[in-house]
Amino acid sequence: MSKVKGLIFDLDGVIVFTDKFHYQAWKKMADGMGIYFDEEINNRLRGVSRMDSLEIILERYEGEPLSQEKKDALAAEKNETYRELLKTMTPADVSQEVRDTLAKLREMGIKISLGSSSKNAKFILERVDLLDAFDAISDGTNITKSKPDPEVFLKGAEFLGLTPADCGVVEDAYAGIDAAKDGGMIGIAIGDACSYDRADYRLNTFSDLIQVVKEINQ
């Protein structure tokens, strides 16, 4: 296994927690269309692009076929609601543990990128005052495929000037670990992803990352 020179972080569920906002925004849109939507369906949307998420929700739709224009409008409606909810976020929405760990990693010479399917990633990082903690941002604005496709992480490595083999990915979703592994990177699991057998390392808490990097690089 190569030494880690860079780490690529998923955003939601790793750095911040905005699941509740996604759920509220999709629920409002679904209710408006008379589509059943619950927490279980919402869990299928984690790490998935906005338009792919919409298609999952529309599996329960029983009305007339929707044009692409209508689908685009529904996705835009959801995003508008979501962004309004994001405006309530503050720096207090990121733990001191996360801030300290990211700072320590950079002190250790590790390059840091974001790897998120969200097109709102930079907006979120600005709201929580964490944009400067990252050397690069790979997000929904520069990819065409959602996880488990590795594109967002491959771009993240590219933006850091590193090869995939030089990078580890920190993810809380199975699809994210799949994307990391299929992209030739080290899969580091946190949260729900810790139960996934494809993960190379598992974090009990975010700060465990320091020891994991030391272990890989020893």
Side-chain angles (χ1 to χ4, degrees):
M1 191 175 284
S2 300
K3 290 193 174 184
V4 169
K5 298 177 182 176
L7 286 172
I8 305 170
F9 293 85
D10 177 41
L11 180 60
D12 205 8
V14 176
I15 303 294
V16 298
F17 296 86
T18 65
D19 274 1
K20 60 183 179 182
F21 299 146
H22 279 296
Y23 177 74
Q24 290 167 17
W26 280 125
K27 183 83 166 89
K28 181 180 177 183
M29 186 228 76
D31 287 350
M33 291 290 290
I35 303 170
Y36 178 78
F37 183 69
D38 61 15
E39 297 272 7
E40 187 174 342
I41 298 170
N42 188 62
N43 286 339
R44 293 175 58 198
L45 313 184
R46 295 175 61 203
V48 178
S49 73
R50 191 181 309 156
M51 295 309 295
D52 288 345
S53 293
L54 177 63
E55 291 298 336
I56 290 172
I57 292 170
L58 290 178
E59 291 171 2
R60 299 281 189 124
Y61 176 65
E62 298 177 347
E64 292 293 317
L66 301 178
S67 66
Q68 188 58 50
E69 184 179 11
K70 177 60 175 176
K71 289 180 179 180
D72 290 342
L74 289 173
E77 174 192 327
K78 180 268 174 178
N79 191 53
E80 186 175 336
T81 302
Y82 178 61
R83 283 181 67 91
E84 283 302 310
L85 292 168
L86 289 180
K87 288 179 182 177
T88 66
M89 295 188 76
T90 70
D93 287 302
V94 173
S95 71
Q96 194 59 48
E97 179 187 13
V98 167
R99 294 184 189 278
D100 291 346
T101 301
L102 292 176
K104 177 63 175 177
L105 289 167
R106 292 179 99 179
E107 287 175 14
M108 294 165 61
I110 303 297
K111 292 184 177 181
I112 295 175
S113 174
L114 194 75
S116 169
S117 300
S118 174
K119 292 183 178 180
N120 295 299
K122 289 180 182 176
F123 179 72
I124 293 170
L125 291 178
E126 287 170 353
R127 292 296 310 169
V128 298
D129 192 24
L130 206 60
L131 194 59
D132 291 343
F134 292 86
D135 300 299
I137 305 288
S138 177
D139 61 17
T141 65
N142 60 250
I143 60 171
T144 59
K145 305 182 190 79
S146 293
K147 304 168 194 174
D149 190 282
E151 183 184 16
V152 71
F153 296 144
L154 294 174
K155 292 276 190 183
E158 178 187 334
F159 294 161
L160 290 176
L162 299 173
T163 67
D166 291 329
C167 296
V169 169
V170 184
E171 261 284 358
D172 73 315
Y174 282 34
I177 295 295
D178 281 337
K181 298 297 291 177
D182 293 347
M185 305 178 193
I186 299 168
I188 304 171
I190 194 169
D192 292 346
C194 287
S195 60
Y196 194 23
D197 58 11
R198 287 197 79 191
D200 297 301
Y201 294 90
R202 293 164 180 80
L203 308 178
N204 290 318
T205 185
F206 194 86
S207 58
D208 287 348
L209 196 50
I210 302 297
Q211 191 57 43
V212 166
V213 170
K214 289 178 178 177
E215 182 179 331
I216 296 170
N217 289 349
Q218 66 184 5

